[in-house]
């Protein structure tokens, strides 16, 4: 089983406009609302590709009920902690004429200590049966900053693989440990390290340096692909070109593809091809975490991975 944990899920509203005019009245030609956020996006891609994920996190209020119902409709099993604060609402604005997608993000409300304890209990119950763990996203305000870090050794003791998609202090604390895969984008890594990573040489060096022992680091760059390293060798991924509608959720789709390939025993360089295909397929749709299986299969054959020195 692939366990997908995200403590800041969202109900996503995607609004599409033929053309967007600032400081004017704009009428959407299409509006969709659905369960989203980094972890639900990962779980949805996994389910679409034929896997059986388990989504875990916090859900609250009427939006939380909607989120759980929508995930259930997609065939995704859930084990969420019910919390009093309302699940957040985020909005994607898609401008067809300009070919742009703009994300409006509502921050998650703080979560009480007893809710964190309830989440810990749920995760402990799933330790024996989860062979792949994907932890995704920012933590709510006031969250224990070592939340991700303290789960790294617990997951590793079971022989499972853990992919951590995080940034900032929660990631820095986890990077003191080994045996997991760190996945984040270039801007997030630069902000986490307080470093200028504008050149490829600086990015490759930083990726090598942060790669956990007995694990790896993967730094995504949107349509420009990714850089990955196990601390010794490093690889460049060239993503297949696509006509993008909205790249929102593509990083989550990337994580899902990576988990699928690694769970089948594929080596990291090969696994990155499926990751790139899922990320690109997501960008071809208006909805985060949505991919077409046929697109993924075609795009995987067009992804290229080469070693860099």
């Amino acid at each position: 089983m692939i366990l997908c944990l995200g403590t800041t899920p969202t109900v996503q509203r995607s609004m599409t406009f033929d053309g967007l005019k600032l400081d004017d009245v704009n009428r959407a030609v299409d509006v969709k609302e659905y369960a989203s956020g980094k972890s639900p996006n990962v779980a949805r891609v996994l389910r679409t590709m034929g896997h059986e994920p388990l989504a875990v996190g916090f859900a609250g209020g009427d939006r939380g009920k909607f989120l759980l119902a929508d995930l259930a409709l997609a065939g995704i099993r859930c084990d969420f902690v019910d919390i009093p604060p309302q699940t957040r609402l985020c909005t994607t604005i898609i401008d067809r004429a300009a070919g742009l997608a703009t994300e409006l993000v509502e921050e998650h409300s703080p979560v009480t200590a007893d809710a964190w304890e309830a989440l810990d209990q749920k995760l402990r119950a799933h330790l024996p049966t989860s062979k792949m763990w994907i932890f995704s996203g920012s933590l709510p305000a006031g969250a224990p900053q070592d939340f991700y870090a303290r789960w790294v050794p617990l997951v590793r003791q079971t022989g499972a693989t853990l992919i951590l998609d995080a940034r900032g202090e929660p990631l820095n604390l986890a990077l003191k440990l080994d045996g997991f895969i760190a996945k984040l984008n270039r801007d997030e890594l630069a902000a986490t390290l307080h470093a200028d990573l504008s050149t490829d040489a600086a990015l490759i060096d930083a990726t090598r340096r942060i790669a956990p022992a007995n694990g790896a680091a993967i730094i995504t760059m949107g349509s420009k692909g990714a850089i990955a390293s196990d601390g010794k060798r490093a690889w460049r991924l060239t993503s297949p070109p696509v006509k993008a509608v909205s790249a929102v959720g593509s990083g989550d789709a990337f994580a899902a593809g990576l988990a699928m390939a690694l769970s089948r025993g594929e080596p990291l360089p090969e696994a990155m091809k499926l990751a790139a295909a899922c990320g690109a397929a997501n960008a071809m749709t208006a909805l985060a975490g949505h991919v077409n299986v046929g697109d993924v299969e075609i795009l995987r054959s067009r992804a290229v991975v080469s070693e860099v020195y």
Side-chain angles (χ1 to χ4, degrees):
M1 180 178 69
I2 301 179
L3 187 146
C4 305
L5 169 71
T7 61
T8 55
T10 180
V11 171
Q12 193 78 17
R13 177 178 293 159
S14 291
M15 305 181 69
T16 301
F17 300 84
D18 283 334
L20 194 66
K21 297 180 180 179
L22 298 181
D23 197 27
D24 201 352
V25 175
N26 293 269
R27 302 187 186 278
V29 296
D30 186 59
V31 178
K32 295 282 194 311
E33 287 193 355
Y34 55 98
S36 189
K38 296 184 75 65
S39 184
N41 291 343
V42 173
R44 191 184 296 274
V45 172
L46 288 169
R47 186 71 187 94
T48 300
M49 296 299 295
H51 288 255
E52 298 290 340
L54 175 69
V56 182
F58 298 120
D62 289 339
R63 286 195 207 129
K65 293 176 182 176
F66 175 86
L67 179 136
L68 294 176
D70 190 60
L71 289 175
L73 188 64
I76 298 168
R77 289 198 303 127
C78 296
D79 192 8
F80 278 63
V81 176
D82 183 36
I83 58 174
Q86 186 84 246
T87 292
R88 65 191 181 132
L89 173 70
C90 296
T91 304
T92 303
I93 306 296
I94 298 173
D95 182 345
R96 286 177 175 170
L100 297 174
T102 302
E103 185 74 355
L104 307 179
V105 176
E106 176 185 338
E107 295 294 352
H108 199 284
S109 299
V111 176
T112 59
D114 59 332
W116 284 106
E117 177 58 32
L119 183 60
D120 278 340
Q121 291 176 8
K122 287 183 180 295
L123 292 176
R124 288 183 185 278
H126 294 300
L127 272 172
T129 57
S130 301
K131 301 305 177 186
M132 176 71 66
W133 296 60
I134 307 173
F135 287 1
S136 304
S138 301
L139 300 174
Q145 295 297 287
D146 66 343
F147 177 75
Y148 289 141
R150 65 176 184 245
W151 279 99
V152 171
L154 296 175
V155 172
R156 189 181 178 196
Q157 287 170 11
T158 69
T161 299
L162 188 151
I163 298 171
L164 174 56
D165 184 351
R167 58 185 171 86
E169 186 64 7
L171 175 62
N172 277 325
L173 292 173
L175 288 175
K176 297 178 181 180
L177 306 168
D178 59 9
F180 72 99
I181 298 171
K183 180 260 169 198
L184 63 162
N185 67 39
R186 189 175 197 156
D187 290 341
E188 290 169 339
L189 179 61
T192 297
L193 298 181
H194 304 289
D196 180 1
L197 303 180
S198 57
T199 68
D200 284 356
L203 178 62
I204 293 168
D205 177 65
T207 306
R208 277 198 173 101
R209 285 190 289 108
I210 71 159
N214 302 309
I218 302 176
I219 312 304
T220 58
M221 301 180 291
S223 62
K224 295 181 180 179
I227 296 293
S229 177
D230 60 4
K232 299 175 183 177
R233 303 171 67 188
W235 300 270
R236 180 188 302 276
L237 164 69
T238 302
S239 293
V242 298
K243 184 177 181 180
V245 177
S246 171
V248 177
S250 286
D252 311 324
F254 184 103
L258 181 70
M260 285 187 282
L262 292 176
S263 69
R264 297 197 292 253
E266 295 184 21
L268 181 61
E270 192 64 26
M272 290 170 62
K273 295 179 182 179
L274 181 56
C278 289
N282 178 93
M284 294 170 66
T285 76
L287 306 181
H290 289 65
V291 300
N292 180 284
V293 176
D295 290 339
V296 172
E297 296 304 325
I298 293 171
L299 293 169
R300 182 175 189 176
S301 67
R302 297 176 181 171
V304 177
V305 176
S306 56
E307 190 165 359
V308 292
Y309 302 93

